[in-house]
Amino acid sequence: MRTLYTDDFRTTPWWWEAARPAPGAAEPLPAETEVAIIGGGYTGLSAALTMGRMGTSALVLDAEAIGFGASSRNGGMVSGGLKIAGQGLSRRLGEEHADRLVREAAGSLAFIEELIAREAIDCAYARTGRFVGAWTRRHLVGMENRAAWLADITGGAVRILPPGRVHEELGSDRYYGGMVVEAAGALHPARYVRGLAEAAARAGACLRGGVRVMRIAREGDAFRIFTPRGNVRARAVLSATNGYSLGGPNEWLARRLIPVGSYIIATEELPPETMKRLFPNGRMVSDSRRVLNYFRPCPEGRRVLWGGRASFAPTSPEAAAPVLHRMMTDVFPELQDTRITHSWTGNVAFTFDFLPHIGVEDGVHYAAGCQGSGVAMQTWLGHQVALKILGRANRKSAFDGLEFPTMRFYSGNPWFLPVVGEWYRLRDRFDRMAA
Ligand SMILES: Cc1cc2nc3c(=O)[nH]c(=O)nc-3n(C[C@H](O)[C@H](O)[C@H](O)COP(=O)(O)OP(=O)(O)OC[C@H]3O[C@@H](n4cnc5c(N)ncnc54)[C@H](O)[C@@H]3O)c2cc1C
């Protein structure tokens, strides 16, 4: 029997074959810094880059290698907060604030595109557009109703495809039509985070991997950061730990974030004609389920990268691989015999109000909670929080200072996820049966 895995199967991100996060230099930590940033992903590095460009050198500390977290593990699908655009925000925030918020989120796409071009980051960025498959007929109607508004918000065309035309975008019969959103792109996430780190270092940031921050303490109007490699005095601190905040020095933040494992597999290389049939226009793809799938061709267009919530309880990449393979062949039956070369996982950070947040608590700044859609948004929020720390923001971000809810007795360990996640999965199944 043909096995599901290639002989050289790995449980590290396929992206790391081209850009593995490098272990940090063993140099000693400085005794003092203007700003200490905890977490060396898009948020922390983007903040450090902005600060550097404005003449403030920050110290970025990551417990693992710089870029080790979600920032080198994600799907590399770039959009301006399309997820935010779906929720009844006006009811919660009022019309004006809701409008500012979705427009700011949408603007994060132009921001990251400009940043990549300005810093000449070699990360295979392309404006591919995205196809969102409708899981039910009702979802397609919802897309039709939102298309004009979404086009206005994103500043790019949005087209609805009826069921009979899905093959123009996707080699699958699994969806009831869908929507093409032109304002979306794709990149190589590990090359992007590496390029961002290089740009931040060029701008004067000091980057140190392998330094876990254990504790933050007030020291007059400054802070002291405690690590196993010594401690550092900082005038300001930014927590940029996002989906990896549990067990970290910022318990207040961890209590407001729900770390959720997301899983991806990479297939072996496929013939060009198969790839062309599956992804005729090379778009990024996701679907409208509550527990969604997201998938894409790799930047060279030779293999499929397939992501989803293989499990809501923590599980290994080995155990997730067959589950994702089943999800993939449900959409692309012709990949039944296609083997997997890589399977990996990473944490995304959800929030109880499904919104990203920036703010400050007890003097410590934070920017987090992109609900699994943070390539552009966390880069943007890192920039915004940097401006805020430096006192250089022309106007307050729409994500700044929103009430940041938690749940009674929640300490950052989402014990409820398996139950809630399976309930969502079940509802997806019912919706489909009803359709
Ligand atoms: C599998 C997967 C697929 C995804 N796909 C997409 C996608 O296609 N498109 C999209 O837009 N978004 C996607 N995302 C989300 C996106 O990757 C994240 O929103 C983004 O990378 C978050 O960046 P960050 O810098 O805030 O956090 P991270 O990159 O997670 O960085 C946080 C860092 O904090 C460090 N840290 C934690 N505690 C400490 C401590 N005590 N001391 C020092 N360092 C510490 C960690 O080691 C980690 O490196 C995906 C995420 C995952 C996991």
Side-chain angles (χ1 to χ4, degrees):
M1 201 184 81
R2 205 170 136 86
T3 136
L4 203 59
Y5 310 102
T6 54
D7 292 342
D8 56 355
F9 171 77
R10 291 180 187 178
T11 53
T12 45
W14 177 75
W15 308 114
W16 289 12
E17 301 296 327
R20 194 185 191 89
E27 294 155 51
L29 300 181
E32 260 188 73
T33 180
E34 282 287 309
V35 184
I37 298 176
I38 309 168
Y42 301 148
T43 309
L45 295 169
S46 171
L49 173 59
T50 296
M51 288 177 187
R53 292 268 171 251
M54 295 191 155
T56 297
S57 53
L59 171 67
V60 182
L61 303 173
D62 200 294
E64 308 284 344
I66 294 286
F68 171 88
S71 298
S72 64
R73 298 162 180 271
N74 62 70
M77 299 165 61
V78 192
S79 62
L82 289 181
K83 280 194 186 158
I84 292 166
Q87 312 151 22
L89 279 175
S90 312
R91 270 197 314 276
R92 287 162 61 191
L93 301 173
E95 203 130 311
E96 187 273 334
H97 193 161
D99 189 60
R100 253 188 322 118
L101 196 128
V102 289
R103 286 184 196 279
E104 187 176 324
S108 67
L109 179 65
F111 176 78
I112 193 176
E113 286 180 336
E114 276 163 29
L115 188 153
I116 290 168
R118 186 190 73 214
E119 302 294 338
I121 297 180
D122 176 19
C123 60
Y125 180 75
R127 251 273 177 148
T128 53
R130 181 182 295 199
F131 176 70
V132 187
W135 184 235
T136 66
R137 259 189 220 104
R138 236 187 58 214
H139 291 182
L140 185 63
V141 172
M143 289 175 184
E144 281 165 358
N145 293 339
R146 285 192 324 137
W149 176 78
L150 205 52
D152 173 44
I153 295 290
T154 61
V158 176
R159 279 186 295 113
I160 298 295
L161 282 192
R165 287 180 54 197
V166 168
H167 278 253
E168 290 173 25
E169 291 293 342
L170 198 69
S172 173
D173 296 317
R174 202 66 179 116
Y175 295 108
Y176 286 93
M179 144 175 103
V180 178
V181 180
E182 293 289 352
L187 50 65
H188 187 301
R191 277 164 56 193
Y192 172 55
V193 77
R194 176 182 285 184
L196 200 55
E198 286 166 357
R202 274 198 309 273
C206 174
L207 313 180
R208 291 285 185 278
V211 184
R212 181 173 294 280
V213 175
M214 313 298 285
R215 197 159 67 83
I216 309 167
R218 283 261 191 190
E219 198 172 84
D221 59 355
F223 296 87
R224 188 153 293 276
I225 306 296
F226 293 88
T227 89
R229 284 192 23 203
N231 54 60
V232 182
R233 186 182 151 86
R235 287 162 61 101
V237 181
L238 167 61
S239 280
T241 47
N242 217 1
Y244 293 81
S245 301
L246 181 60
N250 194 339
E251 279 174 35
W252 185 90
L253 182 62
R255 287 197 60 225
R256 281 154 181 83
L257 298 173
I258 308 162
V260 180
S262 194
Y263 299 83
I264 306 188
I265 50 172
T267 68
E268 60 191 328
E269 290 197 2
L270 294 162
E273 55 282 8
T274 306
M275 290 302 290
K276 188 75 191 156
R277 198 165 49 245
L278 301 183
F279 302 96
N281 303 312
R283 302 223 196 257
M284 304 295 99
V285 186
S286 58
D287 64 32
S288 63
R289 288 180 232 200
R290 288 180 187 81
V291 185
L292 60 78
N293 289 310
Y294 54 96
F295 47 102
R296 58 170 290 177
C298 74
E300 298 78 18
R302 289 200 288 265
R303 56 179 90 217
V304 177
L305 305 179
W306 187 280
R309 311 263 180 265
S311 166
F312 284 96
T315 194
S316 67
E318 288 93 336
V323 180
L324 292 175
H325 193 271
R326 268 199 304 280
M327 291 173 173
M328 179 175 74
T329 51
D330 181 51
V331 172
F332 294 138
E334 66 178 285
L335 299 186
Q336 195 62 48
D337 292 329
T338 301
R339 291 176 306 167
I340 302 170
T341 60
H342 296 72
S343 173
W344 70 95
T345 179
N347 286 354
V348 304
F350 278 74
T351 55
F352 287 99
D353 62 358
F354 297 101
L355 285 176
H357 289 258
I358 68 177
V360 56
E361 174 64 23
D362 202 14
V364 176
H365 293 264
Y366 57 83
C370 272
Q371 332 288 319
S373 190
V375 176
M377 270 303 284
Q378 288 296 156
T379 305
W380 166 254
L381 295 182
H383 169 69
Q384 282 297 310
V385 80
L387 294 178
K388 180 176 174 174
I389 291 170
L390 300 180
R392 301 283 287 272
N394 287 334
R395 68 175 195 163
K396 192 172 163 183
S397 161
F399 294 92
D400 186 359
L402 299 172
E403 192 197 336
F404 201 166
T406 181
M407 205 175 67
R408 214 156 164 220
F409 305 124
Y410 179 66
S411 60
N413 185 9
W415 49 268
F416 45 81
L417 264 189
V419 179
V420 176
E422 289 313 323
W423 169 237
Y424 281 174
R425 229 194 271 283
L426 206 63
R427 286 175 67 192
D428 281 337
R429 247 179 251 144
F430 286 150
D431 285 353
R432 183 71 177 201
M433 275 152 55

